[in-house]
Amino acid sequence: MITRRDLLKYTIKGIAGLAVPIAALEIVNPNKIFAGKNDKSKTRWVFLVDTYKCVGCGFCVKACKNENEIPYDANVTRTWVERYVVTKDGELFADTPKGARDGFTTSKIDLGAGKYQDIKKEEISKAFFVPKLCNQCENPPCVQVCPVGATYQVPDGVVLVDRKTCIGCGYCIMACPYGVRFFHPVHHTAEKCNFCYHRITKGMKTACVEACPFGARQIGNIKDPDDPVTKIIKTERVGILKEEFGTKPQVYYIGLDKEVR
Amino acid sequence: MKNHVFRPLFVVIGLVGIVLIARLFIVPKDFGVWERGYMYGWHRKSNEEDWKAVKVKYQFNNEYCKDCHGDKYDSLIQSPHAIIKCENCHGPVLEHPLNPAKLQIDRSRQQCLRCHSYLPYPTSGRANIKGIDPGKHNPDIECSMCHNPHKPNLGALSGGK
């Protein structure tokens, strides 16, 4: 028989036990402790796009595809340029033919399914180009969903994909709110922009930044207070894409419009 | 309890054991939780080096071209095209002049039209670039037949190259 005293004792112990967080029961992981001490990485790569300067030439896309060995004629690309045209009636047109690999050479907007629409100069209220690439989010949802540890973030903020570990399940492609991931047609694994990791780790700039004749694209280290990109981000009005998703994207835009998605 | 109740249990324990042993061999030694923690840093450490080892194709440094192609370089830097890198038209330098000995030059109309097809977009830099209607301006010939891309100033048209 259980006494009233014992019942109360067990109840209190039980509730106290439930209150212990799962984390308190976790076995100590030396890697994690090491990481905590070493958290002060000296580099955090960020990107800055000035949409006023972009003319939609697509040199960035061409250079990126060649530099990163993305099959040139396959309709996939790590970076691309979008065109937005808003008419005086308030109608929005947006397209990115072949990711703007060959630039924008016609005023006809690609509506998809082989349909095009020409918009006359008098009808245009505003029109501009927006380069897109991986946002190297501080909270990357694509990494959270990977079931095999094939995609991860390095301490300097860049999100990479391990082609040997990737099983091609496509969860990360679905999870990215910015649509920057795709299947590599040759390797059959998830593929994405990695800020030309092989170049920035050698002190070079990314291929797209170098290819841009107009200085619309810039890369910098936000942990360096003297970096020109850091200065612009800290002192000028910049925007980010899809803030409401909480991903903390690290590609900043000057001249971002509400129509840009 | 009878033996036939335990038998499937042994099979399951055996399978779990096989999986655990196989895992020892299949999972790389450097696979684990690294700097960014379990959520973002669970990966194979050596893959970071794999990415750093990708070959650089573009130099994007016009000074690199200057030593051998000084005449073209000098002409280019005095023109409005000075902002364009040599490799944007001449292709990635790789280990040129050793490999490849000759670069593939993009002389297509498409290449020039990237900027010079006129688009009336007032809120972008495109509106400030001199442009043509590609359907009407000598549609059948290459731009370089009349314009020298290293010295594109229109005044030079009358004075030859």
Side-chain angles (χ1 to χ4, degrees):
Chain A
M1 261 313 267
I2 189 163
T3 62
R4 183 183 295 176
R5 186 176 289 263
D6 281 343
L7 177 73
L8 288 170
K9 265 189 197 168
Y10 292 144
T11 311
I12 290 165
K13 277 183 186 167
I15 291 169
L18 287 173
V20 174
I22 299 288
L25 302 171
E26 197 184 33
I27 298 164
V28 175
N29 184 330
N31 275 337
K32 265 194 169 176
I33 294 167
F34 181 71
K37 272 184 188 167
N38 237 355
D39 207 26
K40 291 188 179 71
S41 169
K42 287 199 176 68
T43 318
R44 205 313 173 187
W45 297 108
V46 295
F47 210 88
L48 179 67
V49 177
D50 188 340
T51 59
Y52 290 107
K53 289 180 178 166
C54 182
V55 307
C57 68
F59 273 143
C60 48
V61 181
K62 182 186 180 186
C64 174
K65 288 197 116 175
N66 286 332
E67 180 71 23
N68 294 299
E69 296 166 46
I70 308 299
Y72 201 69
D73 289 318
N75 199 14
V76 288
T77 173
R78 285 184 175 194
T79 185
W80 67 99
V81 183
E82 292 172 356
R83 162 168 64 182
Y84 290 82
V85 178
V86 183
T87 65
K88 284 181 180 159
D89 304 334
E91 208 176 343
L92 170 71
F93 294 90
D95 71 342
T96 173
K98 287 182 191 167
R101 184 197 74 184
D102 300 330
F104 293 88
T105 55
T106 168
S107 55
K108 291 189 179 74
I109 309 281
D110 187 350
L111 301 176
K115 285 182 188 161
Y116 295 87
Q117 181 156 348
D118 199 1
I119 296 160
K120 290 195 179 70
K121 187 181 178 179
E122 305 79 56
E123 294 168 17
I124 295 173
S125 168
K126 56 182 170 184
F128 52 90
F129 301 98
V130 181
K132 294 262 182 94
L133 69 165
C134 176
N135 285 280
Q136 316 293 357
C137 304
E138 195 58 22
N139 297 331
C142 54
V143 175
Q144 293 177 19
V145 299
C146 181
V148 295
T151 185
Y152 57 94
Q153 194 174 38
V154 270
D156 57 16
V158 176
V159 174
L160 299 173
V161 181
D162 183 347
R163 283 178 181 159
K164 277 190 190 146
T165 312
C166 179
I167 55 171
C169 69
Y171 283 180
C172 55
I173 297 172
M174 302 305 289
C176 176
Y178 307 100
V180 304
R181 283 180 175 249
F182 56 93
F183 274 114
H184 193 291
V186 176
H187 301 289
H188 303 295
T189 54
E191 181 73 19
K192 68 182 283 297
C193 158
N194 57 18
F195 280 3
C196 282
Y197 202 60
H198 60 296
R199 294 176 69 95
I200 56 175
T201 48
K202 289 184 185 76
M204 305 171 87
K205 287 178 179 167
T206 68
C208 58
V209 168
E210 295 276 24
C212 180
F214 304 95
R217 289 170 175 254
Q218 282 177 276
I219 187 160
N221 172 15
I222 200 146
K223 289 197 176 173
D224 176 3
D226 297 324
D227 193 305
V229 172
T230 306
K231 282 181 183 167
I232 292 173
I233 292 170
K234 292 215 167 143
T235 60
E236 290 184 28
R237 283 163 287 180
V238 290
I240 51 172
L241 292 171
K242 296 183 183 173
E243 198 176 355
E244 66 278 15
F245 282 73
T247 54
K248 297 184 185 163
Q250 298 300 316
V251 174
Y252 295 86
Y253 285 88
I254 298 172
L256 202 57
D257 194 83
K258 67 179 166 51
E259 310 286 1
V260 179
R261 289 161 294 194
Chain B
M1 207 176 280
K2 277 175 189 155
N3 202 19
H4 73 269
V5 179
F6 283 111
R7 227 177 276 152
L9 186 67
F10 292 143
V11 171
V12 170
I13 291 171
L15 284 175
V16 170
I18 290 168
V19 169
L20 287 176
I21 291 164
R23 200 180 167 279
L24 276 181
F25 293 101
I26 294 169
V27 177
K29 291 283 173 288
D30 57 344
F31 193 97
V33 177
W34 297 97
E35 291 91 336
R36 286 289 278 122
Y38 178 69
M39 179 103 78
Y40 301 120
W42 186 54
H43 68 286
R44 183 168 65 90
K45 188 73 179 165
S46 53
N47 183 245
E48 293 172 25
E49 299 306 316
D50 295 351
W51 278 113
K52 284 179 192 172
V54 170
K55 194 174 147 48
V56 173
K57 283 119 201 149
Y58 284 101
Q59 292 294 329
F60 279 127
N61 178 10
N62 289 6
E63 304 297 317
Y64 181 90
C65 316
K66 188 182 170 186
D67 285 347
C68 303
H69 307 284
D71 53 331
K72 297 285 193 299
Y73 173 91
D74 290 340
S75 165
L76 186 73
I77 54 165
Q78 289 169 34
S79 82
H81 277 177
I83 54 172
I84 299 173
K85 299 277 167 62
C86 303
E87 286 170 281
N88 274 341
C89 304
H90 292 263
V93 74
L94 300 165
E95 288 114 44
H96 177 77
L98 291 172
N99 174 41
K102 242 177 136 47
L103 297 179
Q104 273 213 329
I105 308 172
D106 189 345
R107 290 191 178 89
S108 64
R109 250 177 102 78
Q110 184 74 33
Q111 180 78 348
C112 307
L113 293 177
R114 284 170 180 271
C115 296
H116 294 290
S117 163
Y118 176 71
L119 294 177
Y121 296 163
T123 44
S124 86
R126 185 69 168 249
N128 304 324
I129 301 176
K130 282 181 186 169
I132 54 142
D133 180 344
K136 289 179 185 157
H137 184 96
N138 302 321
D140 300 325
I141 56 172
E142 282 184 0
C143 311
S144 56
M145 297 281 279
C146 304
H147 305 271
N148 176 0
H150 297 123
K151 197 181 177 185
N153 316 45
L154 283 171
L157 256 183
S158 50
K161 285 189 179 179

